[in-house]
Amino acid sequence: MPQYKRPRAEQIAVGIGVCAAVCGTAYCLHKYIFTPPSLLMAEETAKMDIEHQAIDVPDIPGAKRSAFCEELLDSYDGITTAYEAYLRGAEISGDKQCLGTNLNGSYSWITYNEVLQKAADLGSGILELGYQPCPETFVGIYASNKAEWVLTDVACLTYSMVSVPLYDSLGADACTYIINHAEISVVVCDGNKLPVLLEKADQCPKLKHIIKIGDVSEEDEQNAGKFGITIKSFKDMEELGHNNPKEKSPGKPEDVFTVCFTSGTT
C-alpha cells in the first residue's frame, strides 16, 4: 500500500517562509526583470545632473569618476593593474578560448594561457631589439582590431611598456604627429598600413623598427631600409622572444597603461 506522510507544523512553516522569501525577492526584482535595459538606464540617468556626469576626484588633479559611482575604485578583488586582470582571466579560464581570428568565415582560437605566452614572447622580442622594460618605452600599434593588437597590448603590460594606438581614421598626418610627439621608435603595423607608415617615415626620425603583421618581403625591407628602419614580421618577433625570454616585469598601479590620442589632440 502507498505510504503517506502528514507534514508537521514546522515543515509547513518553513515552506511558507521559503515561499514568502521567493515572492519577496521577486517583488523587489520585478522592476529589473520586466523592465527593458534601455528604460532602466533612462531612469538612472534621470536621477543624474546631465551637466555633471563626471565628478572630480579629490586630491587627484585631472581625475574624474562617473556620477553613477559613489567612489573611485583603485582595485577589485585584489586586482590592481590591467596585467593582473589578464592573469586572473588565465587563472579562471586558462585553456578556454580567448582570442579568435576570422579565417574565411570560421574562427581560429588561442586560449588565455596562449595569449600570455605569446605576449611574453613578443615582449621579449622587443626587448631583444634593445628596448627597456619601463614606462618610458612607447610602442605604437597601427592596426585594425585583431588578435595581434591585443597581444601587443598585453606584451606591453607584461614588461611595463606603454602602448600607443595610431588611429587609422585620423590619416597619415595624425600618425606622424603621434609618433613624433610620443617619441615612438617601434611600431606594430598591419600589412595594409605599411605603405602609409613608410610614406611619412622621412618625417619620423625616431622610428627605427617596424613589426609587420604578416610576411615581410624583400621589397618591404628595401623600402624600410631607405629610412634606416628595420622591419620584421610579427611571427619572427615572437620566435625571437621565445628563444630569448626575458624576466617579466609588469607595471605598478601608478604606472601609465596606455596613451590614447584623440582627434582633438592631433
Side-chain angles (χ1 to χ4, degrees):
M1 295 181 64
Q3 299 293 313
Y4 296 96
K5 184 177 180 180
R6 176 178 294 180
R8 293 181 297 179
E10 57 267 29
Q11 291 175 316
I12 296 175
V14 170
I16 293 175
V18 171
C19 181
V22 171
C23 292
T25 301
Y27 176 78
C28 293
L29 296 178
H30 78 281
K31 170 183 175 181
Y32 300 96
I33 296 173
F34 298 107
T35 304
S38 58
L39 184 57
L40 281 175
M41 179 59 71
E43 292 177 357
E44 292 297 323
T45 303
K47 301 175 185 177
M48 181 179 63
D49 183 353
I50 200 68
E51 299 297 328
H52 297 86
Q53 299 181 43
I55 310 299
D56 290 329
V57 178
D59 303 323
I60 307 180
K64 295 180 180 293
R65 64 171 174 81
S66 169
F68 286 114
C69 301
E70 294 296 328
E71 60 181 343
L72 183 67
L73 299 179
D74 57 9
S75 65
Y76 176 77
D77 197 22
I79 298 172
T80 61
T81 66
Y83 180 70
E84 290 175 356
Y86 276 104
L87 291 181
R88 178 62 60 84
E91 179 184 340
I92 296 172
S93 307
D95 292 324
K96 295 181 180 179
Q97 296 174 343
C98 181
L99 290 178
T101 299
N102 190 333
L103 301 174
N104 299 320
S106 62
Y107 279 85
S108 173
W109 293 90
I110 57 176
T111 67
Y112 283 81
N113 287 333
E114 288 173 330
V115 166
L116 290 177
Q117 182 59 59
K118 284 178 168 291
D121 290 343
L122 177 63
S124 293
I126 293 174
L127 298 185
E128 186 66 16
L129 295 178
Y131 294 95
Q132 297 300 312
C134 65
E136 285 70 42
T137 298
F138 296 92
V139 179
I141 308 177
Y142 191 22
S144 56
N145 291 337
K146 56 182 55 186
E148 289 85 355
W149 205 112
V150 178
L151 290 173
T152 303
D153 205 33
V154 181
C156 289
L157 292 172
T158 306
Y159 292 101
S160 301
M161 298 180 288
V162 179
S163 61
V164 185
L166 305 178
Y167 296 105
D168 182 59
S169 59
L170 300 182
D173 289 336
C175 291
T176 301
Y177 174 87
I178 295 172
I179 290 172
N180 290 331
H181 191 270
E183 298 186 346
I184 297 170
S185 59
V186 55
V187 172
V188 175
C189 180
D190 251 342
N192 61 349
K193 313 294 185 191
L194 182 60
V196 180
L197 187 60
L198 291 179
E199 177 186 341
K200 299 289 185 177
D202 61 332
Q203 301 176 30
C204 303
K206 295 284 187 179
L207 184 58
K208 299 301 179 185
H209 296 96
I210 293 176
I211 301 172
K212 180 184 176 182
I213 301 173
D215 296 330
V216 174
S217 66
E218 289 187 13
E219 183 180 2
D220 291 336
E221 293 178 340
Q222 292 172 359
N223 290 336
K226 296 175 184 177
F227 307 102
I229 297 173
T230 300
I231 183 169
K232 293 181 178 294
S233 73
F234 196 93
K235 288 184 178 180
D236 284 347
M237 287 298 298
E238 284 184 299
E239 184 177 353
L240 177 64
H242 188 77
N243 294 331
N244 299 276
K246 311 299 181 185
E247 182 179 354
K248 297 180 180 64
S249 54
K252 300 180 288 295
E254 61 269 22
D255 289 337
V256 175
F257 166 23
T258 188
V259 175
C260 293
F261 288 78
T262 67
S263 58
T265 58
T266 56

